[in-house]
Amino acid sequence: MCPTGTCSDSTVKGMLSSLLVLHGPNLNLLGLREPEIYGSATLADHIDAVRDVAQSHGISFVDVQSNSEAEIVEAVHSARGVHDAIIINAGALTHYSWALHDALKSFTGNVIEVHLSNPGAREEFRHVSVLSDVVQGTISGFGGLGYTLAVHALVALEK
Ligand code: DQA
């Protein structure tokens, strides 16, 4: 976050003190939903893991989950000037939401896309992420480990 509110975009990218962790549709059902694919951990369990790593780096974070595309887009808008980076598991919005693509494109900090499963190894409609070109990178297929890897990646990107 820019402490004075006057930093240039490149300066904002060099500081990581505040993180937004965003989850899209159906991810509130983690732990119950297709556990053979997504595992038995709940969304709260994944957020706890992010909290542990973020706290160890002195990073504060806010987490938002919504089943509404509009609310996810608005959460990205609200992150501007407030959060330095975003970790997002957009759920199925990943595969078709150009509105979310455009919102993320307007965010000046680093964005890491996370998927619990490996969408590239699943049904064909999951093979495309319309978010790929507006994120720094994607971590897929490592289950909940992906979230902590994403925090480590963001910390490393700031160095
Ligand atoms: C997911 C993969 C998406 O294809 C799917 O729609 C989800 C979860 C994942 O974490 O593996 O909801 O993003």
Side-chain angles (χ1 to χ4, degrees):
M1 182 160 52
C2 178
T4 62
T6 56
C7 303
S8 68
D9 289 349
S10 59
T11 309
V12 172
K13 269 196 175 180
M15 304 170 68
L16 178 58
S17 62
S18 179
L19 174 65
L20 175 64
V21 180
L22 259 181
H23 282 88
N26 302 308
L27 293 165
N28 54 313
L29 294 181
L30 288 174
L32 302 172
R33 172 193 180 205
E34 299 176 274
E36 67 285 2
I37 295 174
Y38 299 116
S40 56
T42 64
L43 181 56
D45 294 332
H46 295 306
I47 296 299
D48 283 347
V50 170
R51 180 176 296 109
D52 285 348
V53 186
Q55 275 179 352
S56 73
H57 289 284
I59 303 164
S60 66
F61 79 98
V62 170
D63 77 279
V64 173
Q65 186 279 328
S66 177
N67 295 320
S68 152
E69 180 179 17
E71 286 180 9
I72 295 292
V73 167
E74 280 166 14
V76 174
H77 294 178
S78 301
R80 293 163 59 89
V82 174
H83 299 292
D84 308 309
I86 297 175
I87 293 173
I88 183 164
N89 182 345
L93 295 176
T94 304
H95 312 302
Y96 65 85
S97 178
W98 292 105
L100 180 55
H101 168 279
D102 288 354
L104 289 171
K105 193 170 185 179
S106 77
F107 180 75
T108 55
N110 288 319
V111 180
I112 307 278
E113 178 182 348
V114 171
H115 299 285
L116 294 156
S117 67
N118 177 1
R122 298 179 60 195
E123 305 96 310
E124 200 161 342
F125 77 90
R126 297 184 203 275
H127 295 185
V128 170
S129 167
V130 301
L131 310 181
S132 289
D133 70 315
V134 292
V135 301
Q136 264 55 50
T138 302
I139 299 170
S140 298
F142 297 108
L145 176 61
Y147 293 104
T148 51
L149 291 173
V151 180
H152 287 301
L154 287 170
V155 170
L157 285 171
E158 300 305 311
K159 291 190 174 144

